[in-house]
Amino acid sequence: MSFLTSSGVAFLFGGLLVLALGAYLFLGLPRLSSAVAWALTGSLTALLVAFAVSSAFLAPGAGAWIAVLLAGAAALVAGHAGWALGRVAGRRTAPTLPATVAQAAAPPPPRPPVSMPAATVSTAAAPDHTTLGRYRIERQLGRGAMGAVYLGRDPQIGRQVAIKTMALASEFEGAELVEARQRFFREAETAGRLQHPDIVTIFDAGEDQDLAYIAMEFLRGHDLQRHTQSAQLLPLPLVVHIGERVANALAHAHTQGVVHRDVKPANVMVDLVNGVVKVTDFGIARITDSSRTRTGMVLGTPSFMSPEQMSGRRVDGRADLYSLGVMLFQLLTGQLPHRAESMAKLMYAIANEPAPDLRTLRPEIPEALALLVARALSKQPEARHADGRQMAASLRDVAALWPDSALTLGGASAAAIQSESPDSDAFAATVRIPRTDPGHNSDL
């Protein structure tokens, strides 16, 4: 064991130890969860101390070697503690856009009736010269479950865009943060390849100021949420036309291997004057043929989830058709097919209780339309329409009952529609539902 008494060998080992510990602290720790990181650091520290103690017994003259080992153990613990304290301090201060985030805490002003983009709620003016990536931020448009949406402008071509952001570092840490960042940009790429006239266009994605963002088409009009109020229901033929357009858009996405998973009135934008329909927010979509795994939660809006999605089973495009059926039911009646006071009761109702007959709630609804919606709300996926194109064709057949109808309202009629917020169901917002079984649905 003469090498233990060699100062030269000890200092050479010390240099290599410094490099190894630096790589671990700077490259390894950020990819690990807190519990795993501390367990690994404790094991490495104990190993270094054990080597030092063993060296003292095996080679009494190995003072330099022992000093190097003990110094390495102390540096490892101190470095890990400093990294952990820095991460805690960073999480306490959520990354935000300069000056604009303070506006999110203020009560939102009334929502204007027009010029509203995807994922819209109230707006507030933003200071000049605020930027995100290459885009100039003009004002905040709204906030979602895990981020905010801003109105921006591309200074290179002068185009207005809606910018969806997500502060990933405030939601995830360690390996989960790395996976979340990869998933965010994977979803941006997924949505960006959906080129369809009735799907919102994605222009760009990036990361700046600790915010991941997607720049998308700025849509004029409003979402369908306001038309779920009984006092603001749209004419029957208009609802059918909108449903047909949404079904065709979903059919296109499904042929690309993309399931939306959150189809609902708030994610469909319309311009009633110009006959525009756009399906938005493929942000929680998954590529169904992807080999990547995803465990820990189910994303979606409970009241619009299909039975298979609610239970965490494998889903395909027919789950979106179920959600479209729920949306049509609500647009036609002003009610959801299933309502409950708790998540458990809602899950039971969706899985076991049939939806009410539309004609009991609104007798003037044609039988063909009532049967179409009832088929979309079937508990078993195989009992629904086979795909979006088939459902669109069925809606087109129903629309033939009103041969003179069109997907537009006159300017005066469209302007007369008020922008009051509907009395929404407690489970009509996108949420994350923890999964008790981490293995199911893991291939989605």
Side-chain angles (χ1 to χ4, degrees):
M1 309 290 293
S2 59
F3 70 91
L4 293 177
T5 60
S6 172
S7 298
V9 173
F11 289 129
L12 176 61
F13 175 78
L16 296 175
L17 183 61
V18 168
L19 293 176
L21 293 181
Y24 170 69
L25 291 172
F26 288 99
L27 300 178
L29 285 185
R31 299 177 179 272
L32 302 175
S33 65
S34 180
V36 172
W38 276 114
L40 184 56
T41 295
S43 299
L44 292 175
T45 302
L47 190 62
L48 290 173
V49 172
F51 282 158
V53 173
S54 300
S55 299
F57 283 103
L58 295 175
W65 189 269
I66 296 173
V68 167
L69 290 171
L70 294 178
L76 177 59
V77 173
H80 190 138
W83 171 83
L85 290 174
R87 183 174 64 173
V88 170
R91 291 178 63 190
R92 286 177 179 172
T93 305
T96 57
L97 285 173
T100 58
V101 168
Q103 301 162 2
R111 184 167 63 179
V114 294
S115 300
M116 297 300 292
T120 57
V121 289
S122 58
T123 64
D128 294 337
H129 310 303
T130 301
T131 61
L132 187 62
R134 75 169 187 265
Y135 301 98
R136 186 174 72 250
I137 302 300
E138 297 184 351
R139 65 180 187 271
Q140 181 177 297
L141 296 167
R143 298 194 68 84
M146 297 178 66
V149 180
Y150 298 91
L151 174 64
R153 186 177 296 274
D154 186 340
Q156 297 180 3
I157 58 177
R159 176 170 57 195
Q160 280 190 320
V161 295
I163 303 174
K164 177 182 178 181
T165 66
M166 185 178 293
L168 298 176
S170 67
E171 296 284 342
F172 305 96
E173 62 181 35
E176 290 183 349
L177 176 59
V178 174
E179 198 274 340
R181 183 176 287 110
Q182 293 174 346
R183 190 174 68 254
F184 183 90
F185 289 106
R186 186 165 69 245
E187 290 164 358
E189 184 274 334
T190 299
R193 71 183 185 181
L194 298 178
Q195 301 299 312
H196 188 275
D198 295 331
I199 296 178
V200 66
T201 302
I202 302 299
F203 297 127
D204 187 20
E207 191 170 16
D208 186 30
Q209 304 174 55
D210 291 326
L211 290 172
Y213 66 87
I214 299 176
M216 64 188 74
E217 176 184 6
F218 177 74
L219 301 175
R220 300 189 180 278
H222 59 272
D223 63 50
L224 287 173
Q225 187 65 31
R226 70 183 66 174
H227 299 301
T228 61
Q229 272 192 308
S230 57
Q232 298 191 58
L233 298 181
L234 295 170
L236 291 180
L238 190 55
V239 173
V240 173
H241 279 296
I242 291 173
E244 179 191 346
R245 296 275 290 273
V246 173
N248 276 320
L250 293 174
H252 173 76
H254 298 162
T255 60
Q256 301 298 311
V258 179
V259 181
H260 189 292
R261 297 174 183 262
D262 202 18
V263 177
K264 58 183 178 181
N267 283 338
V268 178
M269 294 287 296
V270 294
D271 180 346
L272 297 178
V273 175
N274 299 305
V276 174
V277 175
K278 293 279 187 177
V279 181
T280 70
D281 199 2
F282 278 84
I284 64 169
R286 298 288 188 273
I287 305 175
T288 57
D289 60 358
S290 172
S291 61
R292 298 181 176 88
T293 62
R294 173 64 179 150
T295 61
M297 65 183 64
V298 178
L299 296 181
T301 305
S303 293
F304 293 84
M305 283 185 182
S306 65
E308 65 270 24
Q309 184 181 1
M310 180 71 81
S311 63
R313 302 197 305 270
R314 178 192 297 273
V315 302
D316 56 25
R318 292 171 296 182
D320 282 347
L321 301 186
Y322 179 94
S323 300
L324 177 54
V326 177
M327 187 183 85
L328 290 172
F329 190 104
Q330 192 179 29
L331 291 172
L332 290 167
T333 66
Q335 300 181 28
L336 288 165
H338 300 291
R339 296 174 64 92
E341 298 176 353
S342 69
M343 182 67 71
K345 291 181 179 179
L346 179 66
M347 292 176 67
Y348 178 85
I350 290 176
N352 299 283
E353 297 177 0
D357 188 328
L358 281 173
R359 289 165 294 178
T360 64
L361 301 173
R362 194 174 177 186
E364 68 269 27
I365 291 177
E367 180 181 9
L369 179 56
L371 293 175
L372 185 153
V373 174
R375 181 180 180 184
L377 296 178
S378 298
K379 307 300 181 185
Q380 299 301 321
E382 54 270 18
R384 302 171 202 151
H385 297 87
D387 52 41
R389 286 193 179 89
Q390 186 183 92
M391 186 170 180
S394 296
L395 285 164
R396 193 158 50 248
D397 291 340
V398 173
L401 297 174
W402 302 280
D404 298 327
S405 64
L407 184 58
T408 57
L409 286 178
S413 299
I417 296 177
Q418 301 298 316
S419 59
E420 300 174 4
S421 298
D423 182 16
S424 60
D425 180 79
F427 302 108
T430 302
V431 298
R432 290 179 292 171
I433 304 175
R435 299 197 301 215
T436 56
D437 176 8
H440 72 257
N441 211 23
S442 61
D443 59 342
L444 298 178

